[in-house]
Amino acid sequence: MAVLAGCQVDAHVDVTMVEDGSGAVEVTVTLDEDAAGRVPNLADDLRVRDLEATGWEVTGPTDTDDGGVEIAVRKPFANVEQGRAVLREVGGRGGLLRALVLRRDHSFAETSWAFGGTLDLSASLASFSDDDLEAVLGSDTFGQDQASLEEQLGEPLADTMTVTVSATLPEGDFTTDGEATGASSASWTADLGDEPVRMAAESSERDTTVLALAAVSAGALVLLVLLLLFRLIRGGVRRRRQRREDVDLT
């Protein structure tokens, strides 16, 4: 309803992951003043019980400072597997978020976190639909012809909506689309009808404490080996000296 009604609708999908692989996904949809004016009864008409029943926390509709309206939903996840499932709920089956990656890897003295996928709005409004919705409404543009929608709005659909996806990972050596940055978050943006946008972010951190302990352990091992060698050599010298003394006595 918000997409069909407005002159400008901005949607933000924010993914946050912390050190242990848990985190949250938050989706915020903002209608500008003109869009909000076309749906004056949004607070009464919006049905969110299904969202809340599946663990989403819903905030709004809330008035914005510039006369618009904002609706936000948030859902936490306990691990990366749950996080991928939550993102699939946002993107739908074959929807706007594809080939999703949410990963936490831990090896000796190093932990890395990654987010990736494709933001795909190339199918315009159909990016927000799926087979079940099409079966109810009769088409992949919510039961209406795209040309008719654009005529009603007085502008191309591509100018009515922007989607931004942001990923925030634990602080460390952070890269965005393969390039190192000084931040711990990255974002990607697409308008309706744009070509698919590839998304990739990774952060890694080395545990210097573990490395230091390993170095100390290695140093201790070297000292132990040297001590044993020294004792063996000294013991051998003593035995040879004792044999010579025994020979002199005889």
Side-chain angles (χ1 to χ4, degrees):
M1 288 293 293
V3 173
L4 297 179
C7 291
Q8 182 61 43
V9 178
D10 294 320
H12 289 260
V13 180
D14 298 310
V15 184
T16 302
M17 181 163 59
V18 297
E19 286 82 356
D20 64 358
S22 64
V25 176
E26 184 169 354
V27 182
T28 305
V29 178
T30 304
L31 286 67
D32 69 4
E33 185 176 6
D34 193 358
R38 295 170 183 253
V39 283
N41 299 317
L42 182 60
D44 296 326
D45 294 337
L46 197 62
R47 301 289 184 261
V48 296
R49 283 180 298 179
D50 287 348
L51 282 174
E52 293 173 334
T54 55
W56 289 90
E57 305 164 2
V58 182
T59 303
T62 305
D63 294 336
T64 62
D65 293 338
D66 56 3
V69 173
E70 180 177 281
I71 306 104
V73 294
R74 181 183 183 274
K75 187 172 184 177
F77 56 85
N79 51 55
V80 293
E81 290 78 12
Q82 288 185 12
R84 286 193 294 268
V86 173
L87 285 170
R88 284 193 292 270
E89 293 179 22
V90 175
R93 296 194 301 271
L96 70 160
L97 299 179
R98 301 168 181 260
L100 290 166
V101 174
L102 196 63
R103 193 177 70 246
R104 176 185 183 272
D105 297 316
H106 182 71
S107 59
F108 177 74
E110 185 172 8
T111 304
S112 63
W113 305 267
F115 167 82
T118 300
L119 172 59
D120 189 357
L121 300 181
S122 59
S124 191
L125 283 183
S127 304
F128 298 90
S129 186
D130 59 24
D131 294 340
D132 295 334
L133 191 57
E134 290 172 26
V136 174
L137 298 180
S139 78
D140 58 6
T141 53
F142 304 96
Q144 299 192 43
D145 177 74
Q146 180 166 327
S148 300
L149 286 173
E150 292 180 334
E151 183 177 355
Q152 294 175 37
L153 296 171
E155 58 183 333
L157 283 177
D159 297 336
T160 64
M161 186 169 189
T162 299
V163 176
T164 300
V165 177
S166 299
T168 300
L169 304 177
E171 292 187 1
D173 296 327
F174 191 83
T175 61
T176 303
D177 300 323
E179 297 184 4
T181 68
S184 60
S185 62
S187 61
W188 304 264
T189 300
D191 296 327
L192 283 180
D194 281 356
E195 291 298 313
V197 177
R198 294 291 303 274
M199 305 178 293
E202 185 170 351
S203 180
S204 62
E205 183 179 45
R206 304 190 74 181
D207 192 334
T208 55
T209 301
V210 172
L211 291 173
L213 290 174
V216 170
S217 299
L221 179 61
V222 170
L223 289 175
L224 178 60
V225 170
L226 291 176
L227 178 62
L228 290 174
L229 287 174
F230 177 75
R231 292 179 67 86
L232 287 172
I233 292 171
R234 189 171 64 175
V237 170
R238 285 178 177 175
R239 286 194 295 272
R240 286 196 298 271
R241 183 179 301 166
Q242 184 64 44
R243 284 199 297 269
R244 285 198 298 270
E245 291 176 356
D246 292 342
V247 170
D248 292 342
L249 287 174
T250 58

